[in-house]
Amino acid sequence: MSSGQTGAALVLGTPALEPVPVQGCPICEAAARHRETVRPLGSAVSLHAANKTIRQHPHRAAADFQAAA
């Protein structure tokens, strides 16, 4: 931290580049809420974990499976 900075938490991530949670999915929505909670705290690991949960949640695979049936 440089001498010109205060003790304020760093804002992490670029929201425009982060995965978008699927509306109505409780897992995606919980991960998105968690992401916004940890962002101002400066926890890069927690922010990454929330983004990974949203990105890897298997909505497409489940929808594709149901469409094929």
Coordinates of all heavy atoms in Angstrom, one line a residue:
M1 N 0.9 -1.2 0.0 CA 0.0 0.0 0.0 C 0.9 1.2 0.0 O 1.8 1.3 0.8 CB -0.9 0.0 1.2 CG -2.0 0.9 1.1 SD -3.3 0.9 2.5 CE -3.3 -0.7 3.1
S2 N 0.6 2.2 -0.9 CA 1.4 3.4 -0.9 C 1.0 4.3 0.2 O -0.1 4.2 0.7 CB 1.3 4.0 -2.3 OG 0.0 4.6 -2.5
S3 N 1.8 5.3 0.4 CA 1.5 6.3 1.5 C 0.2 7.1 1.2 O -0.4 7.6 2.1 CB 2.7 7.2 1.7 OG 3.0 7.9 0.5
G4 N -0.2 7.2 -0.1 CA -1.4 8.0 -0.4 C -2.7 7.2 -0.2 O -3.8 7.7 -0.3
Q5 N -2.6 5.9 0.0 CA -3.8 5.1 0.2 C -4.2 5.0 1.7 O -3.4 5.0 2.5 CB -3.6 3.6 -0.3 CG -3.4 3.6 -1.8 CD -3.1 2.2 -2.3 OE1 -2.5 1.4 -1.6 NE2 -3.6 1.8 -3.4
T6 N -5.5 4.8 1.8 CA -6.0 4.6 3.2 C -6.2 3.2 3.4 O -5.8 2.3 2.6 CB -7.4 5.3 3.3 OG1 -8.3 4.6 2.5 CG2 -7.4 6.8 3.0
G7 N -6.7 2.8 4.6 CA -6.8 1.4 4.9 C -8.1 0.8 4.3 O -8.5 -0.3 4.6
A8 N -8.7 1.5 3.4 CA -10.0 0.9 2.7 C -9.7 -0.3 1.9 O -8.6 -0.5 1.4 CB -10.5 2.0 1.8
A9 N -10.6 -1.2 1.9 CA -10.5 -2.5 1.2 C -10.4 -2.2 -0.3 O -11.0 -1.3 -0.8 CB -11.7 -3.4 1.5
L10 N -9.6 -3.1 -1.0 CA -9.5 -3.0 -2.4 C -10.7 -3.6 -3.1 O -11.3 -4.5 -2.5 CB -8.3 -3.8 -2.9 CG -6.9 -3.3 -2.4 CD1 -5.9 -4.3 -2.8 CD2 -6.6 -1.9 -2.9
V11 N -11.1 -3.0 -4.2 CA -12.2 -3.5 -4.9 C -11.7 -4.5 -6.0 O -10.8 -4.1 -6.8 CB -13.1 -2.4 -5.6 CG1 -14.2 -3.0 -6.5 CG2 -13.6 -1.5 -4.6
L12 N -12.1 -5.8 -5.9 CA -11.5 -6.8 -6.8 C -12.4 -7.1 -7.9 O -13.6 -7.0 -7.8 CB -11.3 -8.1 -6.0 CG -10.3 -8.0 -4.8 CD1 -10.3 -9.3 -4.1 CD2 -8.9 -7.6 -5.3
G13 N -11.8 -7.7 -9.0 CA -12.6 -8.2 -10.1 C -13.1 -7.1 -11.0 O -13.1 -5.9 -10.7
T14 N -13.5 -7.5 -12.2 CA -14.1 -6.7 -13.1 C -15.5 -7.2 -13.4 O -15.7 -8.2 -14.1 CB -13.3 -6.7 -14.4 OG1 -12.0 -6.3 -14.1 CG2 -13.9 -5.7 -15.4
P15 N -16.5 -6.7 -12.7 CA -17.9 -7.2 -12.8 C -18.4 -7.5 -14.3 O -19.1 -8.4 -14.5 CB -18.8 -6.2 -12.1 CG -17.8 -5.6 -11.1 CD -16.5 -5.5 -11.8
A16 N -18.0 -6.6 -15.2 CA -18.4 -6.8 -16.6 C -17.9 -8.1 -17.2 O -18.4 -8.6 -18.2 CB -18.0 -5.6 -17.4
L17 N -16.8 -8.6 -16.7 CA -16.1 -9.8 -17.2 C -16.4 -11.1 -16.4 O -16.0 -12.2 -16.8 CB -14.6 -9.6 -17.3 CG -14.1 -8.5 -18.1 CD1 -12.6 -8.3 -18.0 CD2 -14.6 -8.6 -19.6
E18 N -17.2 -11.0 -15.4 CA -17.5 -12.1 -14.5 C -18.7 -12.9 -15.0 O -19.6 -12.3 -15.8 CB -17.8 -11.6 -13.1 CG -16.6 -11.1 -12.4 CD -16.8 -10.5 -11.0 OE1 -18.0 -10.1 -10.7 OE2 -15.9 -10.4 -10.2
P19 N -18.8 -14.2 -14.7 CA -20.0 -14.9 -15.1 C -21.3 -14.4 -14.5 O -21.3 -13.9 -13.4 CB -19.7 -16.3 -14.6 CG -18.7 -16.2 -13.5 CD -17.9 -14.9 -13.8
V20 N -22.3 -14.6 -15.3 CA -23.6 -14.1 -14.9 C -24.4 -15.3 -14.3 O -24.5 -16.3 -14.9 CB -24.4 -13.5 -16.1 CG1 -25.8 -13.1 -15.7 CG2 -23.7 -12.4 -16.8
P21 N -25.0 -15.1 -13.1 CA -25.7 -16.2 -12.5 C -27.0 -16.4 -13.2 O -27.6 -15.5 -13.8 CB -26.0 -15.7 -11.1 CG -25.9 -14.2 -11.1 CD -24.9 -13.9 -12.2
V22 N -27.5 -17.7 -13.3 CA -28.7 -18.0 -13.9 C -29.8 -17.6 -13.0 O -29.9 -18.0 -11.8 CB -28.8 -19.6 -14.2 CG1 -30.2 -20.0 -14.7 CG2 -27.7 -20.0 -15.2
Q23 N -30.7 -16.8 -13.5 CA -31.8 -16.3 -12.7 C -32.7 -17.4 -12.3 O -33.1 -18.3 -13.0 CB -32.6 -15.3 -13.5 CG -33.7 -14.5 -12.7 CD -34.3 -13.4 -13.6 OE1 -34.3 -13.4 -14.8 NE2 -35.0 -12.5 -12.9
G24 N -33.1 -17.4 -11.0 CA -33.9 -18.4 -10.4 C -33.2 -19.6 -9.9 O -33.8 -20.4 -9.2
C25 N -31.9 -19.7 -10.1 CA -31.1 -20.9 -9.6 C -30.6 -20.5 -8.2 O -29.9 -19.5 -8.1 CB -30.0 -21.2 -10.5 SG -28.8 -22.4 -9.8
P26 N -31.0 -21.2 -7.2 CA -30.6 -20.8 -5.8 C -29.1 -20.9 -5.6 O -28.5 -20.2 -4.9 CB -31.3 -21.8 -4.9 CG -31.8 -22.9 -5.8 CD -31.9 -22.4 -7.2
I27 N -28.4 -21.8 -6.3 CA -26.9 -22.0 -6.2 C -26.2 -20.8 -6.8 O -25.3 -20.2 -6.2 CB -26.5 -23.3 -6.7 CG1 -27.0 -24.5 -5.9 CG2 -24.9 -23.4 -6.8 CD1 -26.8 -25.8 -6.5
C28 N -26.6 -20.5 -8.0 CA -26.0 -19.3 -8.7 C -26.3 -18.0 -8.0 O -25.4 -17.2 -7.8 CB -26.5 -19.2 -10.1 SG -25.9 -20.5 -11.3
E29 N -27.5 -17.9 -7.5 CA -27.8 -16.6 -6.8 C -27.1 -16.5 -5.5 O -26.7 -15.4 -5.1 CB -29.4 -16.5 -6.6 CG -30.1 -16.3 -8.0 CD -31.6 -16.3 -7.9 OE1 -32.1 -16.6 -6.8 OE2 -32.2 -15.9 -8.9
A30 N -26.9 -17.6 -4.8 CA -26.2 -17.6 -3.5 C -24.7 -17.2 -3.8 O -24.1 -16.5 -3.0 CB -26.3 -18.9 -2.8
A31 N -24.1 -17.8 -4.8 CA -22.7 -17.5 -5.2 C -22.6 -16.1 -5.6 O -21.6 -15.4 -5.2 CB -22.3 -18.4 -6.3
A32 N -23.6 -15.5 -6.3 CA -23.5 -14.1 -6.7 C -23.6 -13.2 -5.4 O -22.9 -12.2 -5.4 CB -24.6 -13.8 -7.7
R33 N -24.5 -13.5 -4.5 CA -24.6 -12.7 -3.3 C -23.2 -12.8 -2.5 O -22.7 -11.8 -2.0 CB -25.7 -13.2 -2.4 CG -27.1 -12.8 -2.8 CD -28.1 -13.1 -1.8 NE -28.2 -14.5 -1.4 CZ -28.9 -15.4 -2.0 NH1 -29.6 -15.1 -3.0 NH2 -28.8 -16.7 -1.5
H34 N -22.7 -14.0 -2.4 CA -21.4 -14.2 -1.7 C -20.3 -13.4 -2.4 O -19.5 -12.7 -1.7 CB -21.0 -15.7 -1.7 CG -19.7 -15.9 -1.0 ND1 -19.6 -15.8 0.4 CD2 -18.5 -16.3 -1.5 CE1 -18.3 -16.1 0.7 NE2 -17.7 -16.4 -0.4
R35 N -20.3 -13.4 -3.7 CA -19.3 -12.6 -4.5 C -19.4 -11.1 -4.2 O -18.3 -10.5 -4.0 CB -19.6 -12.8 -6.0 CG -18.7 -12.1 -6.9 CD -18.9 -12.5 -8.4 NE -20.2 -12.1 -8.9 CZ -20.7 -12.5 -10.0 NH1 -20.0 -13.3 -10.8 NH2 -21.9 -12.1 -10.4
E36 N -20.6 -10.6 -4.1 CA -20.7 -9.2 -3.8 C -20.4 -8.9 -2.3 O -20.0 -7.7 -2.0 CB -22.1 -8.7 -4.1 CG -22.4 -8.8 -5.6 CD -21.3 -8.2 -6.5 OE1 -20.8 -7.0 -6.2 OE2 -20.9 -8.8 -7.4
T37 N -20.5 -9.8 -1.4 CA -20.2 -9.7 0.0 C -18.7 -9.6 0.1 O -18.1 -8.8 0.9 CB -20.8 -10.8 0.8 OG1 -22.2 -10.8 0.7 CG2 -20.4 -10.6 2.3
V38 N -17.9 -10.5 -0.5 CA -16.5 -10.6 -0.4 C -15.7 -9.6 -1.2 O -14.6 -9.3 -0.9 CB -15.9 -12.0 -0.6 CG1 -16.6 -13.0 0.3 CG2 -16.1 -12.4 -2.1
R39 N -16.3 -9.1 -2.3 CA -15.6 -8.1 -3.1 C -15.0 -6.9 -2.3 O -13.8 -6.7 -2.4 CB -16.4 -7.6 -4.3 CG -15.7 -6.7 -5.3 CD -16.6 -6.1 -6.3 NE -17.6 -7.0 -6.9 CZ -17.3 -7.9 -7.9 NH1 -16.1 -8.0 -8.3 NH2 -18.2 -8.7 -8.3
P40 N -15.7 -6.2 -1.5 CA -15.2 -5.1 -0.8 C -14.2 -5.5 0.3 O -13.4 -4.7 0.8 CB -16.4 -4.3 -0.3 CG -17.5 -5.3 -0.3 CD -17.2 -6.3 -1.4
L41 N -14.2 -6.8 0.7 CA -13.3 -7.2 1.7 C -11.9 -7.5 1.2 O -11.0 -7.7 2.0 CB -13.9 -8.5 2.4 CG -15.2 -8.3 3.1 CD1 -15.7 -9.7 3.6 CD2 -15.2 -7.3 4.2
G42 N -11.8 -7.6 -0.1 CA -10.5 -7.8 -0.7 C -10.0 -9.3 -0.8 O -8.9 -9.6 -0.9
S43 N -11.0 -10.2 -0.7 CA -10.7 -11.6 -0.7 C -10.7 -12.2 -2.1 O -11.7 -12.6 -2.6 CB -11.7 -12.4 0.2 OG -11.4 -13.8 0.2
A44 N -9.5 -12.2 -2.7 CA -9.5 -12.7 -4.1 C -9.8 -14.1 -4.2 O -10.4 -14.6 -5.2 CB -8.1 -12.4 -4.7
V45 N -9.4 -14.9 -3.2 CA -9.7 -16.4 -3.2 C -11.2 -16.6 -3.2 O -11.7 -17.4 -4.0 CB -9.0 -17.1 -2.1 CG1 -9.4 -18.5 -2.0 CG2 -7.5 -17.0 -2.3
S46 N -11.9 -15.9 -2.3 CA -13.3 -16.1 -2.2 C -14.1 -15.6 -3.4 O -15.0 -16.2 -3.9 CB -13.9 -15.4 -0.9 OG -13.4 -16.0 0.2
L47 N -13.6 -14.5 -4.0 CA -14.2 -14.0 -5.2 C -14.0 -14.9 -6.3 O -15.0 -15.2 -7.1 CB -13.6 -12.6 -5.5 CG -14.2 -11.9 -6.7 CD1 -15.5 -11.4 -6.4 CD2 -13.3 -10.7 -7.1
H48 N -12.8 -15.5 -6.5 CA -12.6 -16.5 -7.5 C -13.5 -17.7 -7.3 O -14.0 -18.3 -8.3 CB -11.1 -16.9 -7.5 CG -10.8 -18.0 -8.5 ND1 -10.7 -17.7 -9.9 CD2 -10.5 -19.3 -8.3 CE1 -10.4 -18.9 -10.5 NE2 -10.3 -19.8 -9.6
A49 N -13.6 -18.2 -6.1 CA -14.4 -19.4 -5.8 C -15.9 -19.1 -6.2 O -16.5 -20.0 -6.8 CB -14.3 -19.8 -4.3
A50 N -16.4 -18.0 -5.9 CA -17.8 -17.7 -6.2 C -18.0 -17.6 -7.8 O -18.9 -18.2 -8.3 CB -18.2 -16.3 -5.6
N51 N -17.0 -17.0 -8.5 CA -17.1 -17.0 -9.9 C -17.0 -18.3 -10.5 O -17.7 -18.7 -11.5 CB -16.0 -16.1 -10.5 CG -16.3 -14.6 -10.3 OD1 -17.5 -14.2 -10.2 ND2 -15.3 -13.8 -10.3
K52 N -16.1 -19.2 -10.0 CA -16.0 -20.5 -10.4 C -17.3 -21.3 -10.3 O -17.7 -22.1 -11.1 CB -14.8 -21.2 -9.7 CG -14.5 -22.6 -10.2 CD -13.3 -23.2 -9.5 CE -13.1 -24.6 -9.9 NZ -11.9 -25.2 -9.2
T53 N -17.9 -21.2 -9.1 CA -19.2 -21.9 -8.9 C -20.2 -21.5 -9.9 O -20.9 -22.3 -10.5 CB -19.7 -21.5 -7.4 OG1 -18.8 -22.0 -6.5 CG2 -21.1 -22.1 -7.2
I54 N -20.3 -20.2 -10.2 CA -21.3 -19.7 -11.2 C -21.0 -20.2 -12.6 O -21.8 -20.7 -13.3 CB -21.4 -18.2 -11.2 CG1 -22.0 -17.7 -9.8 CG2 -22.3 -17.7 -12.3 CD1 -21.8 -16.2 -9.6
R55 N -19.7 -20.1 -12.9 CA -19.2 -20.5 -14.3 C -19.4 -22.0 -14.5 O -19.8 -22.4 -15.6 CB -17.8 -20.1 -14.5 CG -17.2 -20.3 -15.8 CD -15.8 -19.7 -16.0 NE -14.9 -19.7 -14.9 CZ -14.7 -18.7 -14.1 NH1 -15.3 -17.5 -14.4 NH2 -13.8 -18.8 -13.1
Q56 N -19.1 -22.8 -13.5 CA -19.1 -24.3 -13.7 C -20.4 -25.0 -13.3 O -20.5 -26.2 -13.4 CB -17.9 -24.9 -13.0 CG -16.6 -24.5 -13.5 CD -15.4 -25.1 -12.8 OE1 -15.6 -25.7 -11.8 NE2 -14.3 -25.0 -13.4
H57 N -21.4 -24.2 -12.9 CA -22.7 -24.8 -12.5 C -23.3 -25.4 -13.7 O -23.4 -24.8 -14.8 CB -23.6 -23.8 -11.8 CG -24.7 -24.3 -11.1 ND1 -24.6 -25.1 -10.0 CD2 -26.0 -24.2 -11.3 CE1 -25.7 -25.5 -9.5 NE2 -26.7 -24.9 -10.3
P58 N -23.8 -26.7 -13.7 CA -24.1 -27.4 -14.9 C -25.5 -27.2 -15.5 O -26.3 -28.1 -15.8 CB -24.0 -28.9 -14.5 CG -24.4 -28.8 -13.0 CD -23.8 -27.5 -12.5
H59 N -25.9 -25.9 -15.7 CA -27.3 -25.7 -16.2 C -27.4 -26.1 -17.7 O -28.4 -26.7 -18.1 CB -27.6 -24.2 -16.1 CG -27.9 -23.7 -14.7 ND1 -29.0 -24.1 -14.0 CD2 -27.1 -23.0 -13.9 CE1 -28.9 -23.6 -12.8 NE2 -27.8 -22.9 -12.7
R60 N -26.4 -25.8 -18.5 CA -26.5 -26.1 -19.9 C -26.5 -27.6 -20.1 O -27.3 -28.1 -20.9 CB -25.2 -25.6 -20.6 CG -25.4 -24.1 -20.9 CD -24.4 -23.7 -22.0 NE -24.4 -22.2 -22.0 CZ -23.4 -21.5 -21.6 NH1 -22.3 -22.0 -21.1 NH2 -23.5 -20.2 -21.6
A61 N -25.7 -28.4 -19.4 CA -25.7 -29.8 -19.5 C -27.0 -30.4 -19.1 O -27.5 -31.3 -19.8 CB -24.6 -30.4 -18.6
A62 N -27.6 -29.9 -18.1 CA -29.0 -30.4 -17.7 C -30.0 -30.1 -18.7 O -30.8 -30.9 -19.1 CB -29.3 -29.9 -16.3
A63 N -30.0 -28.9 -19.3 CA -31.0 -28.5 -20.3 C -30.7 -29.3 -21.6 O -31.7 -29.7 -22.2 CB -30.8 -27.0 -20.6
D64 N -29.5 -29.5 -22.0 CA -29.2 -30.3 -23.1 C -29.7 -31.7 -23.0 O -30.2 -32.4 -23.9 CB -27.7 -30.3 -23.5 CG -27.3 -28.9 -23.9 OD1 -28.1 -28.1 -24.3 OD2 -26.0 -28.7 -23.9
F65 N -29.5 -32.3 -21.8 CA -29.9 -33.7 -21.5 C -31.4 -33.8 -21.6 O -31.9 -34.7 -22.2 CB -29.4 -34.1 -20.1 CG -29.8 -35.5 -19.7 CD1 -29.2 -36.6 -20.3 CD2 -30.9 -35.7 -18.8 CE1 -29.6 -37.9 -20.0 CE2 -31.3 -37.0 -18.5 CZ -30.7 -38.1 -19.1
Q66 N -32.2 -32.8 -21.0 CA -33.6 -32.9 -21.1 C -34.2 -32.7 -22.5 O -35.1 -33.3 -22.9 CB -34.2 -31.8 -20.2 CG -34.0 -32.1 -18.7 CD -34.4 -31.0 -17.8 OE1 -34.8 -29.9 -18.3 NE2 -34.5 -31.2 -16.5
A67 N -33.5 -31.9 -23.3 CA -33.9 -31.7 -24.7 C -33.7 -32.9 -25.5 O -34.5 -33.2 -26.4 CB -33.2 -30.5 -25.3
A68 N -32.7 -33.7 -25.2 CA -32.4 -34.9 -26.0 C -33.4 -36.0 -25.6 O -33.5 -37.0 -26.4 CB -31.0 -35.3 -25.7
A69 N -34.0 -36.0 -24.5 CA -34.9 -37.1 -24.0 C -36.2 -37.1 -24.8 O -36.7 -36.3 -25.4 CB -35.1 -37.0 -22.5

